[in-house]
């Protein structure tokens, strides 16, 4: 495998399923001045595009070897965060789970935090956003003003859908050979119900000194981005970290359809070497 030069930052990655607490977790971690964390960045997209452009589909790829490819891709990450004063950078993107072999090569010391949640509640959360913004069609559904809760759920959970793609990437990472020692799953339910325990375990996993977070004053602002995406509230979080009970708005049979998809809770499918918080 090609060697890469050391970076001035220590990189980790936040990935996993949508509507599963990645924004909340990033907002909490960013309270630590040693950390830089936020919502999904353009880094993963740049990496994916360059991988494609440096592949055999480009006639000039014969002039690029794997050592150069590795240097270019790592350079994208390093240059994007070049002016960031934080010692530890946590870049967020749902697609990172599908790139563990690449991450383990470019950043051998990096780790991936995968945020997960039971699928019925992910679908429920997205449907709530749609119904809350009745005058603004969402980019999640290509700004379509039509459809029903059933067509939206089918689209989300399909192999090319927002949830389906992330779910498949999560399973690929979880059962992949690079996962042991590199991947940790953080359940949304555990994060909001037991934030202190979750953070203690995360800091230990990242091999970082503990930090006293203020879990009653968590802030994150992405209003301009959410409005441009036609989904106001997409990255909105409550200032206090706590579990909030609510009833689902999904039809009963639709909610039940996605029950049992949380493979990380199934002892017969679980990998003991992959921590699940």
């Amino acid at each position: 495998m090609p060697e890469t030069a050391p970076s001035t930052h220590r990189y980790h990655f936040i990935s996993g399923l949508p509507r599963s607490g990645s924004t909340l977790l990033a907002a909490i971690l960013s309270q630590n001045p040693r950390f830089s964390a936020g919502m999904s960045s353009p880094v993963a997209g740049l990496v994916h595009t360059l991988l494609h452009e440096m592949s055999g589909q480009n006639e000039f790829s014969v002039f690029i070897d794997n050592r150069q490819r590795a240097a270019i891709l790592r350079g994208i990450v390093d240059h994007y965060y070049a002016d960031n004063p934080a010692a530890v950078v946590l870049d967020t993107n749902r697609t990172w789970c599908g790139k563990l072999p690449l991450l383990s090569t470019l950043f051998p010391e990096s780790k991936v935090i995968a945020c997960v949640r039971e699928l019925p509640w992910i679908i429920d959360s997205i449907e709530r956003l749609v119904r809350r913004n009745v005058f603004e069609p969402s980019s999640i559904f290509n700004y379509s003003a039509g459809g029903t809760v059933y067509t939206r759920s089918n689209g989300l959970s399909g192999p090319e859908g927002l949830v389906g793609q992330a779910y498949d990437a999560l399973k690929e990472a979880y059962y992949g050979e690079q996962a042991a020692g590199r991947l940790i799953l953080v359940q949304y339910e555990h994060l909001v119900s037991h934030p202190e325990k979750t953070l203690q375990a995360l800091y230990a996993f990242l091999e970082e000194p503990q930090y006293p977070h203020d879990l009653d004053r968590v802030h994150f602002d992405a209003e301009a981005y959410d409005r441009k995406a036609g989904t106001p509230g997409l990255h909105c979080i409550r200032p206090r970290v706590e579990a909030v009970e609510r009833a689902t708005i999904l039809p009963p049979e639709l909610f039940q359809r996605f029950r049992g998809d949380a493979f990380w809770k199934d002892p017969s499918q679980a990998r003991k070497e992959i921590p699940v918080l």
Side-chain angles (χ1 to χ4, degrees), residues 208-256:
E208 290 289 333
Q210 298 288 331
Y211 180 84
H213 290 276
D214 186 350
L215 299 174
D216 291 320
R217 295 176 179 84
V218 181
H219 174 72
F220 187 83
D221 183 13
E223 182 179 353
Y225 176 90
D226 292 354
R227 190 161 296 281
K228 181 176 176 62
T231 317
L234 180 62
H235 293 95
C236 181
I237 61 173
R238 298 184 182 88
R240 183 179 182 185
V241 183
E242 60 182 347
V244 178
E245 296 290 334
R246 70 168 192 255
T248 181
I249 62 172
L250 298 180
E253 79 279 8
L254 194 56
F255 188 88
Q256 290 299 323

Side-chain angles (χ1 to χ4, degrees), residues 19-21 24 116-117 186-193 238:
R19 310 301 295 170
S20 298
L24 173 60
V116 299
R117 188 180 191 179
V186 176
Q187 299 177 93
Y188 174 81
E189 299 83 0
H190 193 273
L191 174 61
V192 296
S193 298
R238 298 184 182 88

Side-chain angles (χ1 to χ4, degrees), residues 31-275:
Q31 291 180 343
N32 186 339
R34 181 171 166 78
F35 288 172
S36 172
M39 59 178 282
S40 292
S41 82
V43 171
L46 292 170
V47 168
H48 297 164
T49 299
L50 277 170
L51 276 171
H52 175 73
E53 290 301 320
M54 293 187 292
S55 71
Q57 68 88 36
N58 188 327
E59 62 183 304
F60 297 107
S61 64
V62 296
F63 303 119
I64 308 173
D65 59 27
N66 283 344
R67 182 193 58 80
Q68 292 171 308
R69 289 185 176 94
I72 290 169
L73 295 177
R74 181 156 187 155
I76 287 293
V77 183
D78 281 337
H79 286 296
Y80 183 82
Y81 288 108
D83 297 328
N84 194 309
V88 180
V89 170
L90 295 104
D91 186 85
T92 301
N93 198 285
R94 284 188 299 275
T95 63
W96 286 133
C97 271
K99 293 295 182 183
L100 253 61
L102 178 68
L103 295 180
S104 65
T105 302
L106 297 179
F107 307 102
E109 304 301 319
S110 68
K111 298 187 178 182
V112 176
I113 303 169
C115 295
V116 299
R117 188 180 191 179
E118 292 204 23
L119 264 62
W121 291 109
I122 294 176
I123 303 296
D124 174 276
S125 181
I126 296 172
E127 182 64 21
R128 284 176 183 273
L129 283 173
V130 171
R131 297 187 188 187
R132 190 182 305 153
N133 301 306
V134 294
F135 297 114
E136 299 180 68
S138 172
S139 62
I140 295 175
F141 302 101
N142 296 318
Y143 300 99
S144 171
T148 68
V149 63
Y150 294 96
T151 57
R152 286 189 289 271
S153 297
N154 289 336
L156 288 169
S157 60
E160 300 298 324
L162 178 71
V163 180
Q165 274 192 330
Y167 183 75
D168 289 345
L170 173 66
K171 292 180 74 174
E172 177 183 343
Y174 186 80
Y175 295 112
E177 61 272 27
Q178 290 85 15
R182 185 180 302 277
L183 179 69
I184 188 170
L185 271 58
V186 176
Q187 299 177 93
Y188 174 81
E189 299 83 0
H190 193 273
L191 174 61
V192 296
S193 298
H194 308 287
E196 294 90 354
K197 291 182 178 179
T198 303
L199 290 170
Q200 288 174 6
L202 271 179
Y203 272 90
F205 180 74
L206 297 177
E207 301 178 80
E208 290 289 333
Q210 298 288 331
Y211 180 84
H213 290 276
D214 186 350
L215 299 174
D216 291 320
R217 295 176 179 84
V218 181
H219 174 72
F220 187 83
D221 183 13
E223 182 179 353
Y225 176 90
D226 292 354
R227 190 161 296 281
K228 181 176 176 62
T231 317
L234 180 62
H235 293 95
C236 181
I237 61 173
R238 298 184 182 88
R240 183 179 182 185
V241 183
E242 60 182 347
V244 178
E245 296 290 334
R246 70 168 192 255
T248 181
I249 62 172
L250 298 180
E253 79 279 8
L254 194 56
F255 188 88
Q256 290 299 323
R257 171 184 161 191
F258 298 102
R259 295 297 292 267
D261 285 337
F263 62 88
W264 57 89
K265 290 186 173 183
D266 185 347
S268 67
Q269 300 185 55
R271 294 185 63 184
K272 294 181 180 179
E273 67 272 30
I274 311 298

